[in-house]
Amino acid sequence: MRPKQWIKNAFVLAPLFFSGEYRNFSAVSDALITTLLFIIASSATYIMNDINDVERDKLHPKKSLSRPLASGQINVQNALVLLLILCTILVWSWFNKPSVAVVIFAYLALNFAYTFALKHQPVIDIFCIAIGFVLRVLAGSMALTLPISDWMLITTLCLALFLAAVKRRQELVQNGTKSRRVLDNYSIALIERFAEMSATGAIIFYGMFVMTVKPQLVVTIPFVLFGLFRYWYVVDANEYGESPTDALMSDWQLLLCIGLWVLSCSWKL
């Protein structure tokens, strides 16, 4: 279920935060429930992926030790039972939050296609990862029945493409092509260009979002710039990036930058 990866589901809270509705108890409750549903959904996709990749993961120097199925801590039958339980819980969301459930089921369908086919297709594999983050933000807006800025969605897409491209780069640098079949189609230089384009897009579109929708947040732009620069430095200097969560949690400057960004947004919103 990869609890360390649950931090990615914080993207669900973006509409709550930028709308200023975090002062509204009902809105906070709805957003947190949606975040929990996405934690369950993402956990289900991790289990499904690990079941499918168990034999390949056994050959990976890190995954063979860290992933329960590959390391033998859990057998496939138990994993299937857990997957069924999680999917049963998600069915509940259809009766309680149907608009959110549509987004969650779209996320599950995307990850099903990714696990069994799309992750072997170059470029498409990176976009599948990124679209998952966009769906998180969209679900957060659906939970609050709030309109969402197109600038926010495209910024999220570019940021997620950057993280996904860096992840592929580090997989290629650290383990070559043996950990993923799709890596045979990439070169380090190509993926670095993908990352640079995505980071540039994230900066530009975040700036457009701020200037057109939330001009009071102009003071937060330097934190976004520093965060992207620092993340790339941490990845390059310390060989993180295969897991964006590990890269984030390992660097106090990145954590401080995010904290200051959050405080600045809270002060201005």
Side-chain angles (χ1 to χ4, degrees), residues 188-245:
I188 293 174
L190 176 61
I191 297 179
E192 286 180 344
R193 287 198 291 274
F194 288 166
E196 290 165 2
M197 289 171 58
S198 302
T200 301
I203 293 167
I204 291 173
F205 290 119
Y206 181 76
M208 295 298 293
F209 167 68
V210 167
M211 296 300 182
T212 59
V213 182
K214 299 288 183 181
Q216 67 271 36
L217 295 183
V218 67
V219 297
T220 67
I221 292 177
F223 295 118
V224 174
L225 285 166
F226 178 84
L228 289 172
F229 276 52
R230 182 68 189 180
Y231 181 81
W232 190 273
Y233 168 78
V234 170
V235 167
D236 189 67
N238 301 319
E239 297 186 351
Y240 288 112
E242 187 172 347
S243 170
T245 304

Side-chain angles (χ1 to χ4, degrees), residues 1-9 36 38-48 50 66-69 74 78-79 82-83 85-86 89:
M1 294 175 67
R2 306 185 201 173
K4 288 174 63 178
Q5 303 298 328
W6 291 351
I7 191 173
K8 297 175 183 177
N9 296 302
L36 177 60
F38 249 96
I39 287 174
I40 294 171
S42 60
S43 296
T45 64
Y46 292 142
I47 294 172
M48 180 174 59
D50 285 2
S66 62
R67 294 194 174 176
L69 287 174
I74 297 176
N78 290 337
L82 180 57
L83 178 61
I85 292 171
L86 295 179
I89 295 173

Side-chain angles (χ1 to χ4, degrees), residues 16 20-31 144:
L16 174 74
E21 288 293 309
Y22 55 83
R23 303 178 184 89
N24 182 329
F25 177 79
S26 177
V28 171
S29 177
D30 288 340
L144 305 179

